[in-house]
Amino acid sequence: MKFYKATAVLTDEKWVEQNNDRRIERENARKISVKSEDYNQKRKDYGYTFVVDFEHEQIICGMIVSDRNDPEKSIRSFLKAIGMNVRDLEFNEITFSYFASMLSRAEAGDYIDDEAEILEQFDLDRLRNSYKLEYGENLLPAVTEKDDLYRTAKQLLATETLLPELDRIYSGKSKSAAAGHPVHYFVETADRDTRKSLYRTLLQALYDCKRVGSRRYCFMDFRPGQRFSHTAYDFLYKSCKDGVVVVRYLAGEDNEEDEFATAETETISIICETMMKYRNRVLTVFCLPRVCEKTKKLFFENLGSVSMVEIKEDLANSEKSAKYLQMLCKQRRIRPDKKLFSGLESEKMYLPEELRNIFEEWYNNKMKTVIFPQYRDISGCRKEALKEKAHGNAYNDLQDMIGLENAKEVIVKALDYYKLQRLYKDKGIKQDRPAMHMVFTGNPGTAKTTVARLFARIMKENGLLSKGHLVEVGRSDLVGKYVGWTAQIVKDKFKKAMGGVLFIDEAYSLVENRNGLYGDEAINTIVQEMENRREDLVVIFAGYPTEMEEFLSKNPGLRSRVAFHVPFADYTTEELCLIAKHIGKSKGITITDKAITKLSALFETARQNDDFGNGRYVRNVIELSKMNQASRLIKMDPDKITEKELTVICEADIETPAVKTEPAKRKIGFGA
C-alpha cells in the first residue's frame, strides 16, 4: 500500500476563472465529490483517489494505491473521470501521516464526505487514532547511485556482511515489481547513527532493484515487556504492503534472568507472529544491539523457517583500524599524523564507533592546535565540566551540616566517579553501567537518613538521577505475609523509588536463622532489582557497623553491588554543642555561653553510653530545655518578661534527660 501526492496544471482557463468565485468553487467541489465517489466505488479494489484542493492554476490530488497498480495510470484515469484537463502531471510518494493531513484538507474543502470512512475502508483508522502504538515513517531517496551505496558500506566498516549482501541484491535480475522476500534482516549495532545508515543503505539497494515496491518505510521502537496494541501493529504491517517495517528492539546487554524474561519472550513472540503473517508482502528489518545473543536467540526460535541475513560492523584489527582512520582523514581532507595512530593497541579489535571517537578527538585537537592555533588555550567543555564542583541547594545543605566529614568526602568521590564515566563515554571506551549503591554504617542519630535524603537531591541537582526522591523502608515494608508475596512487594518498592534513592534501614533484620524463608526471598529480589535498575536508582543500606559488616559477609551478591561504604562516626562533644546551637538557631533561640558549658559536660557524660542517640539526644535535650524555660518564665510577672528572655535558654534550663545505663540489645528479625 502506497500513498501519493499528485499535482498538475489545469488547461481549462474557464475553470480557473470560475474557481476564483467562492460560491462557484463550493458548487464545483460538491460536483467533484460526487464524481470522485462514483469513480472510487467502481475501482475500490485498486485504491482511492481524491482532489485535495486547487491553488491558482494547479490541482492537487491524493492517492492510496493498493497492490502493484500504476500510480500514473490511476491518476490520469481519475482526472479524466472528473472532467479535469491537465498538463505537467507530477506525482510523488508520501508518508501516511502526510496523506492523512491531505484527507483532512480535502474534507474541509468538501472534495470528500468523510475522511474517517476512507481510513476505515483501508484499515488505516487504527494507525491514526491508536494511543498504544507509536511509530515513525520515512522515505528513501527516489534515485541513488550504486557506487554511493558501496562507498557508504565501506565507510561504515561493514565490508564482511553488508558488501556481500549488496552483491547478492545487485546480481539478481531486476523485477518489474516486488515479488516477495527470500530473506529478511538483522541489523546489529549499538550505535544509533550507524544503525540508521546500515539499514537505509540496505533498503536503498533493495528499492533500486525493485525488491521492495515502496520508498516509504515505518519504524518502531520496542522494549522488553512493552505493551502495545496488537491490532494496530497488524494494521501497520498491512499499510506497509510492498514496503518495509523496521523493528528497533532496544534490549540491554545479556544479563542473568530477571523480571523481564517472561515479558520479553511474550513481546518477541507477538512481533515475530505479525512479521510471519506478512513476510511475503512486507520486508522486516530487526535492529538489535550487537551484544545481545540471548535476545537474538529468542527471535530465531520464533521465526521458524524464515531466512535471516545478519548485517553488522566489522571488528577491525590495528592494521585495518589504521586504514579506516586514514579514510576518515581523506573524507575531511586533512593529513593524518603519528598522534592519530598512537592510541591504537596492536592486540585490540575495534568497532567503527570507537574508531570514529578516536578520530573526532584527534580532529578536534588538530583544529585547535594546528589549523586554528589562536584557540589553543581555550579549554574544552568536558574539561570545564570535570573541573566543575558539585552544586545545588542540597549540596550546600550537606556542607553546612556539623561533622560528617567521611560522608561528605565519599559523596564527592561518588559524584567524581560518575563524571569519569562520562569521560569514558566521550573517549569511546566501553564501560559497565556504573552502580552507585551504598552502605551507611553508624549509630542512631548520626544523620544517616538526613544525608541519604540530601544525597538523592544532590544526584538530581547534578543530573545523575531523574527524580531525586527518597523512599525509606524497613523489614516490615519488604517482607510479605505469605509465600510469593515478598518478591512482588520488593519490586513495587523499587519501582516506586525509580529515579531516586531506596533507603533500607537496619537491612540485616532481613537475615533469618533458617534458609528459604521470606527474608531470603526479599534479599534475592533486592539483589536482582539492584542490578536491573542501577541506571536510575541508588539503594542505600543503613544500620549498625558490626551487624552491617556481618550482613554483607553473608551476602556476596549484595557486597559486589555496593560501590561505596560511608561510615557515620559518633559526634564529638564539640560537634554536639555546635548541633545544639544550630537547632536553637533554627527555632529562633539563643543558648548562653554558660548553658553551652553545661551542655558540654552533659554531652561528654552521655557519649560514654553506646546508645545515647547522638543528634537525637541533642534534640531531646533542647526540647526539654525549652519546656524548662517555659516553666521558669511562666512563674515571672508577664509585664516584666523581655523579648530577649523569651528567646534565650540559660544554664538553669538545662536538664539531663533520662539515659539508659546499659547498651540496648539490638534485636534482629521478627522481634525487631
Side-chain angles (χ1 to χ4, degrees), residues 441-459:
T441 56
N443 289 322
T446 49
K448 296 186 293 295
T449 305
T450 301
V451 171
R453 186 171 287 109
L454 288 173
F455 176 71
R457 289 173 51 202
I458 290 168
M459 294 286 281

Side-chain angles (χ1 to χ4, degrees), residues 2-7 50-53 55 58-64 90-107 112 115 119 124 127-128 135-139 215-218 239:
K2 290 178 281 189
F3 308 95
Y4 287 94
K5 174 185 178 181
T7 59
F50 58 97
V51 172
V52 177
D53 205 352
E55 291 182 354
Q58 193 175 62
I59 182 173
I60 304 170
C61 298
M63 288 190 294
I64 301 175
E90 294 182 4
F91 59 95
N92 294 288
E93 190 171 357
I94 57 177
T95 62
F96 165 67
S97 59
Y98 188 85
F99 172 81
S101 69
M102 292 175 71
L103 276 177
S104 298
R105 186 177 169 187
E107 182 179 335
I112 61 173
E115 61 171 310
L119 291 173
L124 296 170
L127 296 185
R128 193 173 192 188
Y135 68 95
E137 303 172 275
N138 215 330
L139 293 172
R215 292 169 52 210
R216 171 179 170 262
Y217 64 90
C218 290
S239 78

Side-chain angles (χ1 to χ4, degrees), residues 29 160 252 256 271 300 432 493 518 579 598 609 625 645:
E160 296 176 8
E256 298 298 322
I271 290 172
F300 278 126
D432 291 333
K493 293 297 182 183
Y518 305 144
I579 291 173
K598 187 173 181 180
N609 188 300
S625 299
E645 287 177 312

Side-chain angles (χ1 to χ4, degrees), residues 1-150:
M1 189 178 298
K2 290 178 281 189
F3 308 95
Y4 287 94
K5 174 185 178 181
T7 59
V9 177
L10 294 167
T11 59
D12 188 341
E13 294 181 2
K14 184 178 179 181
W15 174 271
V16 175
E17 291 175 2
Q18 287 179 340
N19 246 32
N20 288 328
D21 187 302
R22 186 63 177 167
R23 181 183 61 81
I24 297 176
E25 181 185 6
R26 285 291 183 182
E27 290 178 1
N28 287 338
R30 295 310 305 162
K31 291 176 183 178
I32 289 173
S33 176
V34 172
K35 291 178 181 180
S36 298
E37 189 61 29
D38 182 59
Y39 173 85
N40 285 304
Q41 282 297 321
K42 294 175 182 177
R43 297 173 56 87
K44 60 182 179 181
D45 293 334
Y46 294 88
Y48 194 93
T49 310
F50 58 97
V51 172
V52 177
D53 205 352
F54 291 89
E55 291 182 354
H56 306 295
E57 298 178 353
Q58 193 175 62
I59 182 173
I60 304 170
C61 298
M63 288 190 294
I64 301 175
V65 178
S66 59
D67 295 323
R68 300 180 180 89
N69 296 311
D70 183 347
E72 184 174 358
K73 183 177 179 181
S74 295
I75 188 62
R76 289 190 183 279
S77 173
F78 170 74
L79 291 171
K80 183 178 179 181
I82 64 173
M84 293 289 116
N85 297 317
V86 301
R87 61 180 171 82
D88 300 336
L89 176 64
E90 294 182 4
F91 59 95
N92 294 288
E93 190 171 357
I94 57 177
T95 62
F96 165 67
S97 59
Y98 188 85
F99 172 81
S101 69
M102 292 175 71
L103 276 177
S104 298
R105 186 177 169 187
E107 182 179 335
D110 290 334
Y111 294 106
I112 61 173
D113 288 331
D114 187 351
E115 61 171 310
E117 191 175 294
I118 297 170
L119 291 173
E120 187 176 351
Q121 177 184 337
F122 292 93
D123 289 335
L124 296 170
D125 52 317
R126 291 293 185 95
L127 296 185
R128 193 173 192 188
N129 301 319
S130 177
Y131 61 90
K132 290 185 178 180
L133 189 74
E134 295 183 4
Y135 68 95
E137 303 172 275
N138 215 330
L139 293 172
L140 297 168
V143 180
T144 191
E145 294 294 331
K146 175 181 174 181
D147 290 345
D148 290 340
L149 298 181
Y150 274 83

Side-chain angles (χ1 to χ4, degrees), residues 308-320:
M308 303 296 298
V309 175
E310 296 184 50
I311 306 294
K312 62 180 72 174
E313 304 153 289
D314 305 342
L315 276 171
N317 58 24
S318 57
E319 182 180 353
K320 194 171 183 178

Side-chain angles (χ1 to χ4, degrees), residues 82-327:
I82 64 173
M84 293 289 116
N85 297 317
V86 301
R87 61 180 171 82
D88 300 336
L89 176 64
E90 294 182 4
F91 59 95
N92 294 288
E93 190 171 357
I94 57 177
T95 62
F96 165 67
S97 59
Y98 188 85
F99 172 81
S101 69
M102 292 175 71
L103 276 177
S104 298
R105 186 177 169 187
E107 182 179 335
D110 290 334
Y111 294 106
I112 61 173
D113 288 331
D114 187 351
E115 61 171 310
E117 191 175 294
I118 297 170
L119 291 173
E120 187 176 351
Q121 177 184 337
F122 292 93
D123 289 335
L124 296 170
D125 52 317
R126 291 293 185 95
L127 296 185
R128 193 173 192 188
N129 301 319
S130 177
Y131 61 90
K132 290 185 178 180
L133 189 74
E134 295 183 4
Y135 68 95
E137 303 172 275
N138 215 330
L139 293 172
L140 297 168
V143 180
T144 191
E145 294 294 331
K146 175 181 174 181
D147 290 345
D148 290 340
L149 298 181
Y150 274 83
R151 191 178 300 109
T152 300
K154 292 176 183 177
Q155 291 171 353
L156 293 170
L157 203 59
T159 59
E160 296 176 8
T161 56
L162 183 54
L163 282 183
E165 180 57 18
L166 292 178
D167 289 339
R168 285 190 287 265
I169 292 170
Y170 281 105
S171 66
K173 294 181 179 180
S174 180
K175 305 293 182 182
S176 59
H181 304 294
V183 297
H184 297 261
Y185 297 92
F186 276 121
V187 170
E188 301 167 34
T189 177
D191 182 63
R192 183 177 61 181
D193 293 335
T194 301
R195 176 183 66 196
K196 184 177 180 180
S197 296
L198 285 172
Y199 71 66
R200 280 183 65 91
T201 302
L202 177 69
L203 297 182
Q204 191 66 55
L206 291 167
Y207 177 75
D208 290 350
C209 294
K210 299 183 180 179
R211 289 267 297 274
V212 292
S214 174
R215 292 169 52 210
R216 171 179 170 262
Y217 64 90
C218 290
F219 53 90
M220 288 189 64
D221 291 342
F222 284 101
R223 290 175 174 78
Q226 178 178 329
R227 296 183 178 276
F228 59 97
S229 170
H230 306 166
T231 304
Y233 189 53
D234 185 275
F235 285 174
L236 178 68
Y237 259 86
K238 189 179 292 186
S239 78
C240 290
K241 284 182 179 178
D242 294 331
V244 180
V245 171
V246 177
V247 176
R248 305 188 302 204
Y249 194 77
L250 307 179
E253 295 183 3
D254 291 331
N255 292 312
E256 298 298 322
E257 294 296 323
D258 57 34
E259 67 165 315
F260 296 115
T262 302
E264 179 175 41
T265 301
E266 182 181 353
T267 301
I268 292 175
S269 175
I270 295 168
I271 290 172
C272 292
E273 180 183 343
T274 307
M275 178 269 187
M276 294 278 286
K277 180 179 177 180
Y278 292 96
R279 60 179 173 172
N280 289 319
R281 296 300 305 274
V282 180
L283 180 77
T284 300
V285 179
F286 292 112
C287 298
L288 301 173
R290 188 182 180 96
V291 185
C292 201
E293 293 303 317
K294 289 183 180 179
T295 298
K296 189 165 69 173
K297 182 180 178 182
L298 286 175
F299 274 98
F300 278 126
E301 290 173 353
N302 282 276
L303 290 173
S305 60
V306 175
S307 296
M308 303 296 298
V309 175
E310 296 184 50
I311 306 294
K312 62 180 72 174
E313 304 153 289
D314 305 342
L315 276 171
N317 58 24
S318 57
E319 182 180 353
K320 194 171 183 178
S321 296
K323 290 181 179 179
Y324 186 75
L325 291 173
Q326 287 175 335
M327 181 189 71

Side-chain angles (χ1 to χ4, degrees), residues 411 414-419 422 436 455-468 499-500 534-538:
I411 285 173
L415 294 173
D416 289 343
Y417 177 71
Y418 243 103
K419 288 180 182 179
R422 290 178 176 174
M436 296 292 292
F455 176 71
R457 289 173 51 202
I458 290 168
M459 294 286 281
K460 170 66 168 65
E461 290 172 355
N462 286 270
L464 303 177
L465 285 176
S466 61
K467 295 181 180 178
R534 61 179 173 174
E535 288 187 339
D536 196 24
L537 181 140
V538 175

